[in-house]
Amino acid sequence: MANSMIGRTYLDPGDRLSGHRTPPEPVTVLVGWGPGGGPRNVLVQRPDGTREVIPFQRRLRRPNP
């Protein structure tokens, strides 16, 4: 499961701590890890090149086709 998401682009709407982003910012998943059947945390790269570890299930959304 975690390998299928590496390299994919998702939208990050932000949160209370990092600040909400309107419109959501596209990010690319570099690495995912965590216990169980899927990733709990992911390392993402933003369009400006910065990297950040964020919780996958709560923050990232699939872009509309």
Side-chain angles (χ1 to χ4, degrees):
M1 172 90 174
N3 289 334
S4 66
M5 65 190 299
I6 294 174
R8 286 193 182 180
T9 300
Y10 292 89
L11 297 176
D12 180 13
D15 64 5
R16 287 181 287 165
L17 293 176
S18 68
H20 293 283
R21 294 174 179 86
T22 305
E25 184 176 41
V27 296
T28 303
V29 174
L30 301 176
V31 178
W33 68 91
R40 299 285 188 242
N41 293 317
V42 291
L43 174 65
V44 298
Q45 185 169 357
R46 299 195 177 281
D48 65 1
T50 60
R51 295 179 178 187
E52 180 181 2
V53 174
I54 60 175
F56 180 73
Q57 291 95 337
R58 295 184 194 147
R59 287 246 319 250
L60 297 183
R61 303 291 179 253
R62 288 185 183 169
N64 291 333

